[in-house]
Amino acid sequence: MHIAVLGTGHMATTLAGGFLAAGDTVTFGSRDPERHADLSAPVVATAEALRDADLVVNALQAAFSLDVLRPLASELAGRVLLDIGNAVTPEFDLLYPEASLGELLQAALPDTRVVKSLNTLPGTITVDPASLAEPTSLFLSGEDSGAKALVASLIVDLGWERSQLIDLGGIATARAAEHYFLLFVAMMQSLHGQPFNIRVVR
Ligand SMILES: NC(=O)c1ccc[n+]([C@@H]2O[C@H](COP(=O)([O-])OP(=O)(O)OC[C@H]3O[C@@H](n4cnc5c(N)ncnc54)[C@H](OP(=O)(O)O)[C@@H]3O)[C@@H](O)[C@H]2O)c1
């Protein structure tokens, strides 16, 4: 699979490392490709990165994602967009307390199939789930079952078992996964920054 990873920061480079190790190909999309020429895959302008992508990962800072992606609606039409963002202020307050970035992206990009996932845990665990002592849980939200299946297969390629993935339902459920960030931050502080994830037990 060819993946366009938008952004060149911590999550973009961490995920790209996992995708490349799984045998996928990656192109990074950036505002300033020349400044990031040393990354593990080609870096091009954001709109250019979308060309030929089987899947697009939004690893931009969440607060700027709508402004960056809305003008690219025609380039994103027909594509699957995996959004990993937690839209919070620098003080870790919710930017969209009555909504979520996932819902707002889907509304702004009606011809794109938005899937929310990978936003509820540290990036290092995303690409190395076995680094935790026990299996943990991941969530998926989105309107399109085919798009969610594509994202699920990508996540399985990163080392997750399908049984660890929980389909929450439509994109409206992204609000639950994004607002979980409040609990995530509280736990991160309580655990003094030690990487962790949650596990849903029935
Ligand atoms: N950090 C984690 O462990 C973690 C875990 C789960 C989810 N997330 C989510 O993943 C996303 C990325 O997080 P990160 O930690 O990788 O952030 P980051 O290191 O700050 O990188 C985000 C990228 O956004 C782009 N960007 C920054 N400011 C921008 C602006 N004003 N306009 C347009 N683009 C801008 C930059 O790409 P260019 O300079 O190349 O354009 C940058 O590389 C966030 O939404 C975050 O909530 C993070």
Coordinates of all heavy atoms in Angstrom, one line a residue, residues 124-167:
T124 N 4.7 5.7 20.2 CA 5.7 4.6 20.3 C 5.0 3.3 20.5 O 5.4 2.3 19.9 CB 6.6 4.9 21.5 OG1 5.8 5.2 22.7 CG2 7.6 6.0 21.3
I125 N 3.9 3.3 21.2 CA 3.1 2.0 21.4 C 2.4 1.7 20.1 O 2.2 0.5 19.8 CB 2.1 2.2 22.6 CG1 3.0 2.4 23.9 CG2 1.3 0.9 22.7 CD1 2.1 2.7 25.1
T126 N 1.9 2.7 19.4 CA 1.2 2.5 18.1 C 2.0 1.5 17.2 O 1.4 0.6 16.6 CB 0.9 3.8 17.4 OG1 0.2 4.7 18.2 CG2 0.2 3.6 16.1
V127 N 3.3 1.8 17.1 CA 4.1 1.0 16.2 C 4.8 -0.2 16.9 O 5.5 -1.0 16.2 CB 5.1 1.8 15.4 CG1 4.4 2.8 14.6 CG2 6.1 2.5 16.4
D128 N 4.6 -0.3 18.2 CA 5.2 -1.4 18.9 C 4.3 -1.9 20.1 O 4.6 -1.7 21.3 CB 6.6 -0.9 19.5 CG 7.4 -2.1 20.1 OD1 7.0 -3.3 19.9 OD2 8.4 -1.8 20.8
P129 N 3.1 -2.4 19.7 CA 2.1 -2.7 20.8 C 2.7 -3.8 21.7 O 2.2 -3.8 22.9 CB 0.9 -3.3 20.0 CG 1.5 -3.6 18.6 CD 2.6 -2.7 18.4
A130 N 3.6 -4.6 21.3 CA 4.1 -5.7 22.2 C 5.1 -5.1 23.2 O 5.5 -5.8 24.1 CB 4.9 -6.7 21.4
S131 N 5.4 -3.8 23.2 CA 6.2 -3.2 24.2 C 5.5 -3.1 25.6 O 6.2 -2.9 26.6 CB 6.7 -1.8 23.8 OG 5.6 -0.9 23.6
L132 N 4.2 -3.2 25.6 CA 3.4 -3.2 26.8 C 3.3 -4.7 27.3 O 3.4 -5.6 26.6 CB 2.1 -2.6 26.6 CG 2.0 -1.1 26.2 CD1 0.6 -0.7 26.0 CD2 2.7 -0.3 27.3
A133 N 3.1 -4.8 28.7 CA 3.2 -6.1 29.3 C 2.0 -7.0 28.9 O 2.1 -8.2 28.8 CB 3.1 -5.9 30.8
E134 N 0.9 -6.4 28.5 CA -0.3 -7.1 28.1 C -1.0 -6.5 26.8 O -0.7 -5.3 26.6 CB -1.4 -7.1 29.2 CG -0.9 -7.8 30.5 CD -2.0 -7.8 31.5 OE1 -3.2 -7.9 31.2 OE2 -1.6 -7.7 32.7
P135 N -1.8 -7.3 26.1 CA -2.5 -6.7 24.9 C -3.4 -5.6 25.4 O -4.1 -5.7 26.4 CB -3.3 -7.9 24.4 CG -2.7 -9.1 24.9 CD -2.1 -8.7 26.3
T136 N -3.5 -4.5 24.6 CA -4.3 -3.4 24.9 C -5.3 -3.1 23.8 O -5.4 -3.9 22.8 CB -3.5 -2.1 25.2 OG1 -2.7 -1.8 24.1 CG2 -2.6 -2.3 26.5
S137 N -6.1 -2.0 23.9 CA -7.2 -1.8 23.0 C -7.0 -0.5 22.1 O -6.4 0.4 22.6 CB -8.5 -1.6 23.7 OG -8.8 -2.8 24.5
L138 N -7.5 -0.6 20.9 CA -7.5 0.5 20.0 C -8.9 0.7 19.4 O -9.7 -0.2 19.4 CB -6.6 0.2 18.8 CG -5.2 0.7 18.8 CD1 -4.6 0.3 17.4 CD2 -5.2 2.2 19.0
F139 N -9.3 1.9 19.0 CA -10.6 2.3 18.6 C -10.7 2.8 17.2 O -9.7 3.4 16.7 CB -11.2 3.3 19.6 CG -11.1 2.9 21.0 CD1 -10.1 3.4 21.8 CD2 -12.0 2.0 21.5 CE1 -10.0 3.0 23.1 CE2 -11.9 1.6 22.8 CZ -10.9 2.1 23.6
L140 N -11.8 2.5 16.5 CA -12.0 3.0 15.1 C -13.4 3.7 15.1 O -14.4 3.1 15.6 CB -12.0 1.8 14.1 CG -10.8 1.0 13.9 CD1 -11.1 -0.3 13.3 CD2 -9.8 1.7 13.1
S141 N -13.4 4.8 14.4 CA -14.7 5.5 14.2 C -14.8 5.9 12.7 O -13.8 6.4 12.2 CB -14.9 6.8 15.0 OG -14.7 6.5 16.4
G142 N -15.9 5.8 12.1 CA -16.0 6.2 10.7 C -17.3 5.7 10.1 O -17.9 4.7 10.5
E143 N -17.8 6.4 9.0 CA -19.1 6.1 8.4 C -18.9 4.9 7.5 O -19.9 4.2 7.2 CB -19.6 7.3 7.6 CG -19.9 8.5 8.5 CD -21.0 8.2 9.5 OE1 -21.9 7.5 9.2 OE2 -20.8 8.7 10.7
D144 N -17.8 4.6 6.9 CA -17.6 3.7 5.8 C -16.9 2.4 6.3 O -15.8 2.5 6.7 CB -16.8 4.4 4.7 CG -16.8 3.5 3.4 OD1 -16.0 2.6 3.4 OD2 -17.6 3.8 2.5
S145 N -17.6 1.3 6.2 CA -17.0 0.0 6.7 C -15.8 -0.4 5.9 O -14.8 -0.9 6.4 CB -18.1 -1.1 6.7 OG -18.6 -1.2 5.4
G146 N -15.8 -0.1 4.6 CA -14.6 -0.5 3.8 C -13.4 0.3 4.2 O -12.3 -0.2 4.2
A147 N -13.6 1.6 4.5 CA -12.5 2.5 4.9 C -12.0 2.0 6.2 O -10.8 2.0 6.5 CB -13.0 3.9 5.0
K148 N -12.9 1.6 7.1 CA -12.4 1.1 8.4 C -11.7 -0.2 8.3 O -10.7 -0.4 9.0 CB -13.6 1.0 9.4 CG -14.1 2.3 10.0 CD -15.1 2.2 11.1 CE -16.5 1.9 10.6 NZ -17.5 2.1 11.7
A149 N -12.1 -1.0 7.3 CA -11.4 -2.3 7.1 C -10.0 -2.1 6.6 O -9.1 -2.7 7.0 CB -12.2 -3.2 6.1
L150 N -9.9 -1.1 5.7 CA -8.5 -0.7 5.2 C -7.6 -0.2 6.3 O -6.5 -0.6 6.4 CB -8.7 0.4 4.1 CG -7.4 0.7 3.4 CD1 -6.9 -0.4 2.5 CD2 -7.5 2.0 2.6
V151 N -8.1 0.6 7.2 CA -7.4 1.2 8.3 C -7.0 0.0 9.3 O -5.9 -0.1 9.8 CB -8.1 2.3 9.0 CG1 -7.4 2.7 10.3 CG2 -8.2 3.5 8.1
A152 N -8.0 -0.9 9.5 CA -7.7 -2.0 10.4 C -6.6 -2.9 9.9 O -5.7 -3.3 10.6 CB -9.0 -2.8 10.6
S153 N -6.6 -3.1 8.6 CA -5.5 -3.9 8.0 C -4.1 -3.2 8.1 O -3.1 -3.9 8.4 CB -5.8 -4.3 6.6 OG -5.7 -3.2 5.7
L154 N -4.2 -1.9 8.0 CA -2.9 -1.2 8.2 C -2.4 -1.3 9.6 O -1.2 -1.5 9.9 CB -3.2 0.3 7.9 CG -2.0 1.3 7.9 CD1 -1.2 1.1 6.6 CD2 -2.5 2.7 8.1
I155 N -3.3 -1.2 10.6 CA -3.0 -1.3 12.0 C -2.5 -2.7 12.3 O -1.5 -2.9 13.1 CB -4.2 -0.9 12.9 CG1 -4.5 0.6 12.7 CG2 -4.0 -1.2 14.3 CD1 -5.8 1.1 13.3
V156 N -3.1 -3.7 11.7 CA -2.7 -5.1 12.0 C -1.2 -5.3 11.4 O -0.4 -5.9 12.1 CB -3.7 -6.1 11.3 CG1 -3.0 -7.5 11.2 CG2 -5.0 -6.1 12.0
D157 N -1.0 -4.6 10.3 CA 0.4 -4.7 9.8 C 1.4 -4.1 10.7 O 2.6 -4.4 10.7 CB 0.5 -3.9 8.4 CG -0.1 -4.7 7.3 OD1 -0.4 -5.9 7.5 OD2 -0.3 -4.2 6.2
L158 N 1.0 -3.2 11.6 CA 1.9 -2.5 12.6 C 2.1 -3.5 13.8 O 2.9 -3.1 14.7 CB 1.3 -1.2 13.1 CG 1.2 -0.1 12.1 CD1 0.5 1.2 12.7 CD2 2.6 0.3 11.6
G159 N 1.4 -4.6 13.8 CA 1.7 -5.6 14.9 C 0.5 -5.8 15.9 O 0.7 -6.5 16.8
W160 N -0.6 -5.2 15.6 CA -1.8 -5.4 16.4 C -2.6 -6.6 16.0 O -2.6 -6.9 14.8 CB -2.7 -4.1 16.3 CG -2.1 -2.9 16.9 CD1 -1.2 -2.1 16.3 CD2 -2.3 -2.4 18.2 NE1 -0.8 -1.1 17.2 CE2 -1.5 -1.2 18.3 CE3 -3.1 -2.7 19.3 CZ2 -1.4 -0.5 19.5 CZ3 -3.1 -2.0 20.4 CH2 -2.2 -0.8 20.5
E161 N -3.3 -7.3 16.9 CA -4.2 -8.3 16.6 C -5.6 -7.7 16.3 O -6.0 -6.7 16.9 CB -4.4 -9.3 17.8 CG -3.1 -10.0 18.2 CD -2.7 -11.0 17.3 OE1 -3.6 -11.5 16.5 OE2 -1.5 -11.4 17.2
R162 N -6.4 -8.3 15.4 CA -7.7 -7.7 15.1 C -8.6 -7.7 16.3 O -9.4 -6.8 16.5 CB -8.4 -8.6 14.0 CG -8.2 -8.0 12.7 CD -8.7 -8.8 11.5 NE -7.9 -8.5 10.4 CZ -8.0 -7.4 9.6 NH1 -9.0 -6.6 9.9 NH2 -7.2 -7.2 8.6
S163 N -8.4 -8.6 17.3 CA -9.2 -8.7 18.5 C -8.9 -7.5 19.4 O -9.7 -7.2 20.3 CB -8.9 -10.0 19.2 OG -7.5 -10.1 19.5
Q164 N -7.9 -6.8 19.2 CA -7.6 -5.6 20.0 C -8.3 -4.3 19.5 O -8.2 -3.3 20.1 CB -6.1 -5.4 20.0 CG -5.3 -6.4 20.7 CD -3.8 -6.2 20.7 OE1 -3.1 -6.7 19.8 NE2 -3.3 -5.4 21.6
L165 N -8.9 -4.4 18.2 CA -9.5 -3.3 17.6 C -11.0 -3.2 17.9 O -11.7 -4.2 17.7 CB -9.2 -3.3 16.1 CG -7.8 -3.5 15.6 CD1 -7.7 -3.3 14.1 CD2 -6.8 -2.6 16.3
I166 N -11.5 -2.1 18.4 CA -12.9 -2.0 18.7 C -13.5 -0.9 17.8 O -13.1 0.2 17.8 CB -13.1 -1.6 20.2 CG1 -12.5 -2.7 21.1 CG2 -14.5 -1.3 20.5 CD1 -12.5 -2.3 22.6
D167 N -14.5 -1.4 17.0 CA -15.2 -0.5 16.1 C -16.3 0.2 16.9 O -17.3 -0.4 17.3 CB -15.8 -1.3 14.9 CG -16.4 -0.3 13.9 OD1 -16.7 0.8 14.2 OD2 -16.7 -0.8 12.7

